Amino acid sequence: MITEKSRKLFEEAKTVLPGGVSSPVRAIKPYPFYTKSADGSKITDVDGNTYIDYVMGYGPLLLGHKHPAIREAVTRQFSNGWLYGTPTELEVSLAKKIISLYASIEMVRFVSTGTEATMGALRAARGFTGKNKFIKIEGGFHGAHEAALVKAGSGATTLGTPDSKGVPADFTKHTLQVPYNNIEAMTQAIEAYRDDVAAVIIEPVLGNIGPILPEKGYLEDVRKVTEENDVVLIFDEVITGFRLAMGGAQEYFGVTPDMTTLGKILGGGFHIGVIGGKREIMENISPAGAVYQAGTFNGSPVSMSAGLAVIETLRKEKVHGKLETAGDSMRSAISDVVADLGLNYNMSGLSSMFKVFFGDLPHNYEEALKCDKEKFNVFFNKMLKDGIFLPPSQYETNFLSLAHSQDDIDKTVEAYHRNLK
Ligand SMILES: *Cc1c(COP(=O)(O)O)cnc(C)c1O
């Protein structure tokens, strides 16, 4: 495989972009491939190599690259203009759709990214309760904003900087951390700061250090302890929303939080974020209330059009059932490969999410950190040379999409066999 153009581009990039990239996890060693185009399940680099893609834009592309329904919707919108700075009918339609699908959502504020969504949700929860602290899960990732950058998953953990420099300790002193799947630790944290915990924010399935699944009863227990203590429960469904079910993890597991953040999949590849929740909380957001939130690109007509098309396509193509079946069969085929080779590695995941942990199956962040990262990195590069693009970290979830064919899956399972061996 020749990747000479990519190598040269990265040399150039390092002189003008910190680390040569625009977002840390893209800085694959020794250099990333530079993409020329993508279609369906495939991504093609500037040297003409094509890869089966399981990164899928790090989550948004549940329908695959360049899905015709999304393309049509945004093209139609382009002919009417792409930014107005006024309200549109599109945002009202999309809000109503989301509210009808998410049990926890009675009102929404549209923003541009998942980062803004969690930042706004936490601010609203603090404004609503008049309390300062919030509890997050170790290894949980909620975007790259100050209060959330403590023991954060995703690129932060991959690069060994889960606690960012440049964040004054004063800014994170209200951020409490507890391990996932440990209700005692969460209960103790809530009790220790009984009068000052505004919110718990949690990825229902840890997607940025995993996937790591909730143990039976855990999410129900989290719901119970937050409810009993008047703590706002925020499900960060930026990965799981529209993925596990139309109504996200809250529908899949049958646990309803007070607030929900959405992003990624809903935009179909365009930028979007959603702060959603109970009316009494949401009405604290400006201009209805005094919790300030604003954005030039909030409710972007292009993203709203894409969002409406995503929801319609998910339903029309029965995407969740298909991905549940395809995911199960792929996970079991790769698990068989691992077992045949006598490796003590473990497959994790559900629906369209999967990952082989190079070690014991983790239940939380500490356990995940014990996996053999060095071996994973060797494996990642072998897979890439075989034309399979996996997320370049033990701690990023692999994503299956509607566009992956049985042929893609067969080739991938074979490559797992060859390269794990
Ligand atoms: C990706 C992600 C975010 C941040 O979303 P951006 O659009 O990258 O700002 C927040 N929460 C979770 C769970 C995510 O996976």
Side-chain angles (χ1 to χ4, degrees):
M1 180 175 284
I2 294 163
T3 52
E4 198 45 30
K5 280 189 186 158
S6 285
R7 193 188 62 75
K8 285 203 183 117
L9 277 169
F10 191 56
E11 284 308 310
E12 228 180 297
K14 279 190 285 189
T15 67
V16 288
L17 305 168
V21 290
S22 296
S23 192
V25 78
R26 298 178 197 168
I28 297 170
K29 286 183 180 127
Y31 54 89
F33 69 80
Y34 279 68
T35 300
K36 182 153 188 229
S37 64
D39 193 2
S41 62
K42 309 284 186 345
I43 191 161
T44 300
D45 71 15
V46 290
D47 289 283
N49 305 297
T50 295
Y51 309 82
I52 302 173
D53 184 10
Y54 291 100
V55 176
M56 285 291 147
Y58 290 94
L61 303 171
L62 190 70
L63 302 175
H65 290 282
K66 229 177 89 178
H67 191 286
I70 309 306
R71 189 174 165 172
E72 247 166 60
V74 300
T75 307
R76 212 179 315 123
Q77 181 56 43
F78 283 153
S79 67
N80 290 326
W82 40 86
L83 180 67
Y84 308 135
T86 72
T88 63
E89 190 176 344
L90 294 163
E91 65 195 358
V92 182
S93 304
L94 187 57
K96 282 162 84 175
K97 284 245 155 69
I98 294 169
I99 290 163
S100 73
L101 293 168
Y102 284 76
S104 62
I105 302 183
E106 294 174 346
M107 292 183 113
V108 305
R109 163 63 53 91
F110 289 112
V111 294
S112 298
T113 63
T115 297
E116 289 170 280
T118 64
M119 202 161 69
L122 287 166
R123 190 177 296 152
R126 285 165 156 168
F128 169 68
T129 58
K131 299 174 185 173
N132 293 306
K133 299 197 186 306
F134 72 89
I135 298 173
K136 74 176 277 295
I137 302 295
E138 292 173 1
F141 182 71
H142 306 291
H145 58 93
E146 264 78 355
L149 277 177
V150 190
K151 283 202 184 170
S154 191
T157 292
T158 304
L159 299 172
T161 54
D163 302 296
S164 175
K165 276 197 184 177
V167 178
D170 278 1
F171 289 26
T172 55
K173 73 178 181 197
H174 295 303
T175 307
L176 308 172
Q177 301 277 336
V178 297
Y180 189 60
N181 277 326
N182 184 335
I183 195 63
E184 290 76 27
M186 184 177 289
T187 306
Q188 277 166 20
I190 290 175
E191 280 170 0
Y193 298 95
R194 183 176 293 286
D195 299 325
D196 207 23
V197 180
V200 164
I201 186 165
I202 181 170
E203 294 174 77
V205 173
L206 290 192
N208 287 283
I209 187 76
I212 300 180
L213 310 190
E215 283 167 6
K216 201 167 165 14
Y218 175 64
L219 294 175
E220 287 83 349
D221 288 345
V222 169
R223 175 65 284 187
K224 191 155 171 278
V225 71
T226 47
E227 192 156 31
E228 284 170 359
N229 291 281
D230 293 323
V231 172
V232 175
L233 176 58
I234 305 169
F235 273 8
D236 182 357
E237 296 227 39
V238 171
I239 284 189
T240 52
F242 296 100
R243 177 180 299 285
L244 300 187
M246 284 296 258
Q250 50 203 271
E251 179 187 326
Y252 194 90
F253 294 109
V255 176
T256 307
D258 303 303
M259 297 189 81
T260 300
T261 51
L262 297 166
K264 294 190 173 134
I265 290 175
L266 179 62
F270 290 85
H271 41 23
I272 200 164
V274 176
I275 307 165
K278 288 183 177 161
R279 185 176 303 277
E280 56 179 350
I281 304 173
M282 293 300 293
E283 282 189 331
N284 286 278
I285 295 177
S286 53
V291 172
Y292 200 69
Q293 201 296 321
T296 302
F297 300 108
N298 284 5
S300 146
V302 177
S303 302
M304 297 297 107
S305 303
L308 287 164
V310 165
I311 292 177
E312 195 185 309
T313 307
L314 287 173
R315 186 171 287 137
K316 209 161 80 190
E317 304 235 8
K318 301 190 169 61
V319 172
H320 299 107
K322 283 181 188 165
L323 286 176
E324 192 85 27
T325 308
D328 280 347
S329 99
M330 188 177 196
R331 276 186 296 276
S332 104
I334 297 174
S335 290
D336 288 349
V337 165
V338 170
D340 285 351
L341 294 171
L343 295 166
N344 67 332
Y345 296 174
N346 284 279
M347 170 60 81
S348 181
L350 77 174
S351 189
S352 56
M353 305 167 82
F354 70 99
K355 189 83 179 186
V356 174
F357 281 103
F358 282 38
D360 294 335
L361 194 66
H363 302 91
N364 58 38
Y365 182 67
E366 288 304 321
E367 290 177 15
L369 292 183
K370 290 183 190 141
C371 289
D372 194 336
K373 281 201 311 190
E374 303 308 315
K375 283 229 172 82
F376 175 87
N377 290 339
V378 174
F379 171 74
F380 163 80
N381 276 301
K382 284 180 183 285
M383 290 293 273
L384 196 62
K385 291 209 173 74
D386 253 1
I388 314 275
F389 181 37
L390 302 176
S393 161
Q394 171 73 91
Y395 303 122
E396 296 278 352
T397 298
N398 302 346
F399 295 115
L400 202 55
S401 80
L402 180 68
H404 287 87
S405 65
Q406 191 56 48
D407 183 54
D408 291 333
I409 294 178
D410 292 344
K411 282 191 176 128
T412 306
V413 174
E414 280 166 33
Y416 264 88
H417 188 268
R418 214 167 22 250
N419 295 313
L420 282 175
K421 201 168 166 180

